[in-house]
Amino acid sequence: QVQLVESGGGLVQPGGSLRLSCQTSRSITTIYTMGWYRQAPGKQRELVAIITGGGGTNYADSVKGRFTISRDNAKNTLFLQMNSLKPEDTAVYYCNAKFMVDFQNYWGQGTQVTVSS
């Protein structure tokens, strides 16, 4: 079983920054895609950002120019750098991975991000 563990969430004021991490128990050199999703209270889970095995990235329109997805292969870790945070970014953020070896989706447990003054 592949395990994904998110960390880095917390409380931040509007305009502030956070960096989320997602550490995996499997080498991320074998990914097909990895991504960050979020779910706010009363809303459906939505895609925030995706990175492909080839290094390409895509972002939701709402976070373009503010968030950056990246990875550290040596640490088997995915990151989401979140800058210029807004109250509407408040949500539980989930890490997702699909690996080439089995093409199965894996999810982390989520980490809470709260943007409030």
Side-chain angles (χ1 to χ4, degrees):
Q1 178 68 31
V2 176
Q3 185 176 355
L4 279 60
V5 180
E6 300 101 332
S7 62
L11 175 65
V12 64
Q13 293 186 344
S17 298
L18 286 173
R19 189 174 78 155
L20 306 183
S21 299
C22 171
Q23 187 167 239
T24 72
S25 61
R26 177 183 284 175
S27 172
I28 63 171
T29 62
T30 66
I31 67 165
Y32 184 71
T33 62
M34 292 191 75
W36 291 95
Y37 294 72
R38 67 186 182 188
Q39 187 166 23
K43 295 186 177 181
Q44 297 186 86
R45 187 174 298 187
E46 65 175 349
L47 174 68
V48 176
I50 283 179
I51 188 165
T52 70
T57 59
N58 286 289
Y59 298 89
D61 288 342
S62 59
V63 307
K64 286 181 179 177
R66 300 188 297 119
F67 291 11
T68 303
I69 189 170
S70 62
R71 62 189 175 192
D72 185 334
N73 288 344
K75 297 181 178 180
N76 292 330
T77 302
L78 179 75
F79 301 101
L80 183 68
Q81 179 66 47
M82 304 186 295
N83 298 326
S84 302
L85 283 162
K86 305 174 181 180
E88 51 262 46
D89 295 319
T90 296
V92 177
Y93 284 70
Y94 297 90
C95 180
N96 170 267
K98 181 181 290 184
F99 295 89
M100 292 186 291
V101 65
D102 59 9
F103 237 68
Q104 300 298 306
N105 273 313
Y106 297 92
W107 292 91
Q109 81 289 347
T111 185
Q112 177 71 48
V113 172
T114 302
V115 184
S116 176
S117 59

